[in-house]
Amino acid sequence: MAADYKIAIIGSGPGGLSAAGHAAELNISHVLIEKAAHLSDTLFKFQKGKFVMSTPDVLPLRSPMPFEAGKREDILGNWDDTAAALKVNVKLSTEVIGVEGEKGNFTIKLGDGTSVTAEAVILGIGLQGNLNKLRVPGADLPHIQYQLDDPDEYELERIIVIGAGDAAIENAVALSVRNTVYVLNRGEDFARAKPANEALITSAIDAGRIQPIYKANTLSAGEGTLTVETPEGEVTIECDRVIARMGASPPRKFVESCGVVFPSDARNALPECTEQYESNVAGLYIVGALGGYPLIKQAINQGYEAVEYILGNAVEPADGPILKSQISILNTDDVEGFLKRVRESIPIFSNINSLMLREMMVESTVHKFAPGDVVFEKNDYTNSFYVVLEGAVAVVLDENDHEKRIVIGLGNYFGEMGLISGRRRTATIKAESNCVLIEIPRRTMIKVRGNSPDVRQALDQEAAIRQIQTYIAPDVPREDLIGIAKSSEIKSFKLGEVLFNEGDEADSLHLIRKGSVSVSKRLGGRSVVLNYVASGNYVGEMGLVSNAPRSATVTAAVACETIQIDGAVFKNLMASNLKLKASVESKFKDRITQNERASQAGTGGGILQFLLEQGVSEATDVLLIDEALCIGCDNCETACAETHEGISRLDREAGPTYQTMHIPTSCRHCENPHCMTDCPPDAIKRAPSGEVFIEDSCIGCGNCARSCPYGVIQLASPENKKAGILSRLFAKSDASEKAPKKAVKCDMCRDIEGGPSCVRACPTGAAVRVAPQALMQLQGKAS
Amino acid sequence: MEIKLSESFLAYKGFKYLKISVAVLIVTLIAYLAHDPGRTPNGGTWFGYTFGVISAGLVLFLAWFGVKKRQYMSGVDLLKGWLSAHVYLGVLVIFLSLFHSGFQLGVNLHSLLWYLVLFTVLSGMYGVFCYVRYPSILTGTRQGLTRTEILLELSELDLQAREVAMGLGDEINTVILRAAQGTQVGGSIRKMLEVEPKDCPTRLALLFVDGTSVSGDEQETALRKLSAVLTRKAELLRRLRTYVRAATLVRLWLYFHIPLSIGALVALVAHVFAVFFYW
């Protein structure tokens, strides 16, 4: 008996819908079964008006279903229209309760007791159909809900949001505008959420718009109440509504009932599939989030490809053409062969999964260099990561002495310091022989490092060795450093956290690899900042050299990472290497002199302290105004607006002042820009010369503005080109034509000859731009 | 210990334009004294013409500053360099134009030009004085607060005063209400220049409150509190008005300097025209 359909598709999310659309356009008999009364339920349940991203941007879309970044409503509308136009055979409001049979003859049992048969099944049911629900008495009461469609529907209600993830935060913040909102958090912070959301909820809590209840567990729900266990005891909260956003997990029972096997018992484990998305049940394919592809665009492509595989066609993966063009420089189009070569010849990538490797390669660039070519220059602000796929490169230690160089060969990598510190390149790299390099953008590499513990560990250890070699012991052979690196520890310090206190026993040395620290001492009963030490330097050698307790307190001036080297191990190393000993001792003497001068100077510490408190130590270029010269004409702001679409990116008057030094609200181009941490379209970039700027691809989401601790990013619509005076007088004003809002900030006038217009336009010379490192070192030396 | 990060427009490039101006003045003065025109020195000799052309060129250059200041997109040079030149060469032009005319001054169009230039330069010198004198006052009075923050604090104090006054008599309430609603900072030029105006409702309210006596502990406490709030407000107002006065003065001279300079330009055109067509 022939089956009813060639392909049955369960679930009409991006993957399923795309598969059905492709089957429809090929005129293949198919059925699309959806539990909800509309297509694509997960997206349907997104918050109203939510902006949906189309990452990975470079991946081309191959499907009859259109998709580009946009509002939830537009995307759903397009899909409905396309499904209708293609005459997709869809059964809405139909639940699937089981799948039985085998390739060529599957029976899909439906909720109404009927069933359909199909030769192949595509399972695209995602995870959101199986939201984690409260498992407490009263969980089925009507005032408890698990999603929020339109936050504006509710007004003047008391609402409890349960959860600490992105969905919970987005809901709570949106609701807090018109309602009293409590957030129940099982933990003590919101670190699990995206940084921008964490900032969003933290500021809402600080402002009193949302009341958090930490370490809280829901015990039961009653009519209009929720009872919660907190460290202070049980509380019953009266409320009009409870919104529980506790994530989702695979509908494991159902999937297992279809015969699919899960590799582990973990709650979030996903079924294993072949590269063709086929599960252990032949003929049953899994696409989308359930198959481990959480992004919409990936799922859409998978739907298309799964149909092709069912038809027995070989399909080149969607990223194939991109990868081919990436490697065309090597005169080959064998993508698989190339990826295999990457995996085999570059040890740090030997264990990452192929999806991640492909994604990484799509975003990377393959370069060929001839001997002597410069890969990057010392002091560039570029921060990409390089691996050597063929040949070798050399780190130039002395521009005038060709012999002084370190060769980096096949399979090795360089540029990793940029990943960590965000500082300028520490050395020039030149090609040693004909070589092939893969350049991986910083953001991509950080993602890979974050997702792969192997990569992380390998990078961290090698980075420690190289940093110790570069900053402390350039003359010590590498072999001697391996042991040091192994016995050392990477430590993180939050702003204001103390590395060690004055009077502590000196048992270790800290090499600062990210951020900066301040050195202070108690003088006359108060703490005086003596010095500022930036990344790439070490602290703590004084106690080791003099065998005395710590002579000063060292505090993180911004969030820091240090390599903590054991004191005894370091002393041994010094004993065996006289050059190192001499260099550390000379540093020790410099420090004593410097600290002594600074403590005598008195007021100097004040201004240093002021600068550190204002976070200037993490800046690379800061605008200062000398209030002894500023006449308040605001020509700086006018110049900024005139050169930047009518919007000034600096607020002269706002900002702190110490004596006559004023720090206006203006971008400081941080070493590790806070704004960059969570930009969905990756529109914030750092130019080789150091300026951080926002590209036109900005979508105006405001994440950067919330992440910036200095409040220097605004969301504004660029003004239309200034009209002439006559047209301004006579033309009707047309305010409705304003462009959508985008994030704007100082770009140091990177496109304007002559540099920052604020400084150029200052008539009295009050406005100056300085690199804080230079400023603070100057401060330390002057007396 | 002080770090010199910034450099004033007056000291631009080690007083480059001051040095140039002084050097030019000395050389031209010697030339003027050494030169014997053979008749009464005047603008019509070759020597006079030369100085006339130089002076006219300088006046045009000085006026160009107004355009330069607004050219935000073009030019790689610093505006403070231009201002430095503007200041020192501006003073120089007074002398060069005297050498041009052979110190002949009378009551005519030509002398009018010189007087206009003179007063433009004098107003500019006063401007330089303002630019040196007022920045520290502008900063000092704000004490790290922005104008908006001071205004917010003022309205906060008004609320406090009205709250405290609730428990006191009607008369006091009327005075406090007037202090809250009628106190004004700035307005007319005269108001902007006054630091402690006699008719300030807040000042009057403070005088009134301090001159009132009440009976009962509660009322006395309230009165003392009210006096404290009003004293704070008066002090804040004094600071804000000092700021406004400085901010006004730092700009006010421009209302003389610019019209005078435009007048000088017009007179210059008339002077040149007259000289070539009617002499």
Side-chain angles (χ1 to χ4, degrees):
Chain A
M1 187 190 83
D4 299 342
Y5 302 103
K6 172 102 179 150
I7 307 173
I9 301 141
I10 306 172
S12 69
L17 194 57
S18 158
H22 188 44
E25 81 182 336
L26 296 175
N27 267 326
I28 293 167
S29 74
H30 67 280
V31 61
L32 175 62
I33 308 168
E34 169 59 50
K35 184 160 76 171
H38 42 252
L39 293 175
S40 209
D41 196 42
T42 296
L43 209 74
F44 189 88
K45 284 175 177 163
F46 276 9
Q47 200 162 300
K48 225 176 212 178
K50 181 177 163 104
F51 193 90
V52 181
M53 300 302 306
S54 64
T55 46
D57 284 330
V58 283
L59 191 69
L61 187 74
R62 46 157 50 145
S63 171
M65 285 298 153
F67 176 59
E68 55 185 46
K71 279 197 170 172
R72 158 196 177 272
E73 286 75 9
D74 298 339
I75 294 168
L76 287 172
N78 281 339
W79 286 352
D80 284 342
D81 295 347
T82 313
L86 290 170
K87 302 204 171 74
V88 170
N89 177 29
V90 55
K91 278 182 192 287
L92 292 175
S93 309
T94 307
E95 194 174 357
V96 173
I97 52 175
V99 178
E100 284 169 7
E102 56 192 20
K103 191 173 182 174
N105 185 22
F106 284 106
T107 303
I108 297 114
K109 289 192 185 162
L110 304 179
D112 59 5
T114 62
S115 62
V116 294
T117 56
E119 292 175 25
V121 173
I122 296 176
L123 203 53
I125 56 177
L127 305 177
Q128 297 298 315
N130 190 39
L131 291 172
N132 294 336
K133 299 205 168 164
L134 285 174
R135 289 178 218 163
V136 297
D140 49 356
L141 282 166
H143 71 294
I144 295 175
Q145 63 191 57
Y146 295 94
Q147 74 228 17
L148 175 68
D149 181 17
D150 181 3
D152 292 340
E153 259 176 50
Y154 310 111
E155 217 173 21
L156 303 174
E157 291 193 358
R158 272 164 86 92
I159 301 176
I160 301 175
V161 178
I162 305 178
D166 290 311
I169 294 175
E170 281 165 23
N171 287 175
V173 171
L175 285 167
S176 70
V177 179
R178 298 171 181 210
N179 303 280
T180 309
V181 177
Y182 297 85
V183 172
L184 286 199
N185 183 346
R186 274 205 301 199
E188 284 176 284
D189 55 36
F190 293 89
R192 185 157 68 84
K194 287 192 289 191
N197 277 334
E198 190 186 354
L200 202 61
I201 188 131
T202 312
S203 72
I205 289 172
D206 289 345
R209 292 194 302 273
I210 291 180
Q211 297 171 47
I213 303 173
Y214 296 111
K215 288 184 165 177
N217 275 311
T218 314
L219 293 176
S220 66
E223 287 288 338
T225 63
L226 192 74
T227 305
V228 182
E229 184 190 10
T230 69
E232 286 82 44
E234 259 183 55
V235 239
T236 299
I237 309 167
E238 279 183 30
C239 60
D240 300 298
R241 196 172 300 282
V242 174
I243 298 175
R245 301 306 303 254
M246 305 179 304
S249 44
R252 186 155 177 157
K253 241 186 184 165
F254 169 77
V255 178
E256 280 179 336
S257 77
C258 304
V260 176
V261 175
F262 283 73
S264 84
D265 286 334
R267 186 171 170 173
N268 54 3
L270 297 171
E272 262 176 17
C273 296
T274 65
E275 299 233 324
Q276 280 76 43
Y277 319 130
E278 197 170 10
S279 69
N280 61 303
V281 179
L284 192 142
Y285 293 75
I286 297 179
V287 297
L290 181 62
Y293 292 75
L295 299 175
I296 296 176
K297 204 191 249 177
Q298 294 172 337
I300 290 184
N301 285 347
Q302 275 188 302
Y304 172 99
E305 287 158 17
V307 169
E308 290 291 323
Y309 291 138
I310 289 171
L311 297 176
N313 301 332
V315 205
E316 189 192 9
D319 55 13
I322 303 174
L323 290 175
K324 271 187 192 162
S325 79
Q326 301 278 51
I327 60 172
S328 61
I329 189 172
L330 306 176
N331 301 320
T332 170
D333 61 356
D334 177 12
V335 172
E336 294 304 326
F338 174 79
L339 294 176
K340 197 166 161 242
R341 193 173 147 203
V342 169
R343 216 186 268 283
E344 280 168 4
S345 44
I346 299 165
I348 53 164
F349 294 144
S350 59
N351 281 324
I352 70 174
N353 72 40
S354 70
L355 186 67
M356 204 190 288
L357 185 62
R358 292 187 84 102
E359 219 180 292
M360 183 184 92
M361 280 313 304
V362 164
E363 287 165 18
S364 304
T365 318
V366 180
H367 298 280
K368 255 175 151 171
F369 287 101
D373 283 356
V374 173
V375 180
F376 56 69
E377 295 266 11
K378 184 174 177 170
N379 289 338
D380 274 1
Y381 258 114
T382 50
N383 51 19
S384 46
F385 180 86
Y386 287 83
V387 290
V388 183
L389 189 65
E390 194 179 303
V393 297
V395 184
V396 180
L397 297 178
D398 184 345
E399 198 55 56
N400 303 317
D401 186 351
H402 182 67
E403 288 310 309
K404 286 199 172 168
R405 67 194 202 284
I406 301 170
V407 175
I408 295 176
L410 174 69
N412 225 320
Y413 55 85
F414 56 95
E416 79 288 350
M417 295 206 196
L419 292 184
I420 298 163
S421 77
R423 291 241 158 133
R424 293 164 185 264
R425 296 286 195 197
T426 49
T428 299
I429 303 280
K430 283 183 176 173
E432 178 80 4
S433 58
N434 276 317
C435 62
V436 176
L437 306 177
I438 304 174
E439 180 182 4
I440 306 161
R442 176 172 196 258
R443 195 175 135 107
T444 310
M445 197 56 213
I446 285 177
K447 204 159 71 187
V448 171
R449 188 173 70 145
N451 288 333
S452 164
D454 290 344
V455 174
R456 182 179 199 111
Q457 206 193 344
L459 278 178
D460 278 353
Q461 179 151 35
E462 180 63 26
I465 296 175
R466 288 188 189 177
Q467 282 159 345
I468 295 171
Q469 185 161 40
T470 311
Y471 296 124
I472 303 182
D475 297 307
V476 176
R478 193 187 145 83
E479 303 78 65
D480 294 355
L481 291 176
I482 296 175
I484 300 256
K486 278 200 172 137
S487 70
S488 64
E489 224 181 311
I490 290 168
K491 294 257 179 144
S492 303
F493 296 93
K494 286 192 196 132
L495 189 159
E497 211 175 321
V498 171
L499 277 69
F500 52 77
N501 275 307
E502 191 176 340
D504 283 359
E505 190 199 340
D507 54 358
S508 62
L509 180 88
H510 286 271
L511 171 60
I512 303 159
R513 65 173 208 167
K514 179 180 174 178
S516 52
V517 299
S518 65
V519 180
S520 59
K521 210 174 161 82
R522 289 203 74 79
L523 288 172
R526 68 190 184 99
S527 162
V528 176
V529 176
L530 300 180
N531 204 351
Y532 149 90
V533 183
S535 75
N537 291 289
Y538 52 88
V539 288
E541 84 292 348
M542 297 182 71
L544 291 182
V545 172
S546 61
N547 277 320
R550 300 290 191 196
S551 60
T553 299
V554 173
T555 315
V558 292
C560 284
E561 273 178 26
T562 69
I563 302 173
Q564 184 174 15
I565 302 167
D566 185 78
V569 176
F570 191 73
K571 275 187 197 165
N572 279 338
L573 186 70
M574 274 203 294
S576 65
N577 191 307
L578 294 176
K579 238 177 168 176
L580 171 67
K581 193 166 182 228
S583 118
V584 174
E585 277 174 358
S586 102
K587 184 117 196 169
F588 167 72
K589 278 182 192 143
D590 283 354
R591 283 259 164 87
I592 294 184
T593 326
Q594 210 168 320
N595 287 356
E596 201 47 47
R597 280 186 191 163
S599 51
Q600 278 166 10
T603 55
I607 200 151
L608 192 54
Q609 192 148 7
F610 165 73
L611 291 170
L612 289 171
E613 276 164 12
Q614 300 312 322
V616 171
S617 56
E618 67 172 328
T620 64
D621 185 293
V622 61
L623 176 65
L624 296 178
I625 291 182
D626 184 347
E627 296 267 19
L629 292 176
C630 177
I631 51 162
C633 66
D634 282 335
N635 209 35
C636 45
E637 286 188 19
T638 312
C640 186
E642 287 289 326
T643 47
H644 294 92
E645 295 159 325
I647 302 150
S648 173
R649 284 102 205 275
L650 86 105
D651 185 340
R652 176 190 58 81
E653 205 181 355
T657 307
Y658 182 85
Q659 291 167 356
T660 61
M661 187 186 279
H662 176 65
I663 310 177
T665 301
S666 171
C667 179
R668 298 113 177 262
H669 305 273
C670 298
E671 284 171 353
N672 293 288
H674 301 268
C675 51
M676 268 190 201
T677 45
D678 189 20
C679 175
D682 198 12
I684 306 181
K685 296 274 157 66
R686 162 159 255 156
S689 42
E691 60 271 17
V692 175
F693 61 98
I694 304 178
E695 287 184 330
D696 282 343
S697 56
C698 169
I699 55 167
C701 68
N703 280 358
C704 51
R706 285 188 290 275
S707 302
C708 174
Y710 308 111
V712 302
I713 304 181
Q714 353 158 18
L715 291 168
S717 321
E719 254 177 30
N720 291 336
K721 237 193 150 108
K722 251 200 178 163
I725 184 150
L726 283 181
S727 50
R728 262 190 282 170
L729 274 176
F730 297 112
K732 277 184 224 159
S733 72
D734 198 353
S736 63
E737 257 192 83
K738 276 221 153 171
K741 284 193 171 180
K742 288 191 169 197
V744 297
K745 67 178 277 298
C746 165
D747 60 359
M748 294 244 266
C749 294
R750 58 195 299 269
D751 300 322
I752 300 167
E753 196 194 353
S757 62
C758 48
V759 173
R760 274 190 296 130
C762 179
T764 63
V768 282
R769 281 195 164 275
V770 286
Q773 266 181 284
L775 171 65
M776 289 199 248
Q777 270 147 23
L778 194 66
Q779 191 78 41
K781 277 171 197 153
S783 60
Chain B
M1 170 171 85
E2 197 188 347
I3 299 290
K4 210 63 205 149
L5 284 171
S6 49
E7 170 201 57
S8 158
F9 65 98
L10 291 173
Y12 179 72
K13 290 206 171 158
F15 295 94
K16 175 178 164 190
Y17 289 106
L18 174 63
K19 288 175 186 162
I20 290 176
S21 295
V22 171
V24 171
L25 184 59
I26 292 170
V27 170
T28 50
L29 182 63
I30 293 169
Y32 180 80
L33 295 175
H35 176 70
D36 176 14
R39 49 182 170 137
T40 328
N42 74 70
T45 65
W46 69 265
F47 191 88
Y49 266 129
T50 311
F51 274 80
V53 170
I54 295 173
S55 305
L58 266 179
V59 168
L60 292 177
F61 169 81
L62 294 171
W64 185 250
F65 181 78
V67 178
K68 185 67 207 167
K69 177 177 158 5
R70 289 169 181 82
Q71 284 180 338
Y72 299 107
M73 286 300 262
S74 62
V76 296
D77 33 9
L78 297 168
L79 190 65
K80 75 167 177 181
W82 276 77
L83 184 57
S84 193
H86 184 82
V87 166
Y88 293 120
L89 298 180
V91 177
L92 181 65
V93 89
I94 297 291
F95 297 98
L96 296 194
S97 50
L98 282 175
F99 299 159
H100 158 65
S101 72
F103 289 86
Q104 284 188 56
L105 288 169
V107 183
N108 55 42
L109 173 75
H110 313 292
S111 301
L112 173 69
L113 168 59
W114 188 81
Y115 283 114
L116 281 170
V117 172
L118 176 70
F119 284 111
T120 310
V121 172
L122 288 177
S123 64
M125 284 160 81
Y126 175 67
V128 171
F129 164 76
C130 290
Y131 277 21
V132 174
R133 165 117 175 75
Y134 290 115
S136 56
I137 295 177
L138 287 172
T139 321
T141 51
R142 284 196 290 114
Q143 296 186 345
L145 297 174
T146 64
R147 277 168 297 178
T148 326
E149 282 166 343
I150 295 181
L151 289 174
L152 280 175
E153 201 174 332
L154 281 172
S155 67
E156 177 63 29
L157 287 172
D158 277 338
L159 281 179
Q160 277 181 30
R162 288 176 65 180
E163 219 166 279
V164 179
M166 291 290 202
L168 295 161
D170 280 353
E171 224 178 338
I172 287 191
N173 269 291
T174 318
V175 173
I176 294 300
L177 188 65
R178 199 178 305 140
Q181 291 176 345
T183 305
Q184 202 185 353
V185 175
S188 65
I189 295 269
R190 192 178 63 83
K191 290 263 180 212
M192 290 201 286
L193 295 177
E194 268 180 348
V195 172
E196 282 176 312
K198 293 262 178 304
D199 57 348
C200 170
T202 301
R203 190 182 111 91
L204 295 177
L206 182 59
L207 285 175
F208 183 84
V209 168
D210 287 348
T212 309
S213 54
V214 287
S215 53
D217 273 0
E218 223 171 274
Q219 296 246 319
E220 258 180 41
T221 317
L223 202 64
R224 265 204 302 279
K225 206 169 165 195
L226 194 58
S227 173
V229 171
L230 287 174
T231 309
R232 270 197 71 200
K233 190 183 167 195
E235 168 56 19
L236 216 51
L237 276 172
R238 195 190 59 76
R239 263 165 56 192
L240 187 59
R241 286 188 175 123
T242 312
Y243 173 84
V244 169
R245 180 185 146 86
T248 307
L249 284 173
V250 96
R251 280 175 188 75
L252 194 61
W253 64 276
L254 280 168
Y255 288 88
F256 299 94
H257 187 67
I258 290 166
L260 279 170
S261 64
I262 290 170
L265 279 180
V266 173
L268 176 63
V269 173
H271 166 68
V272 172
F273 187 77
V275 166
F276 281 105
F277 288 87
Y278 295 102
W279 212 271

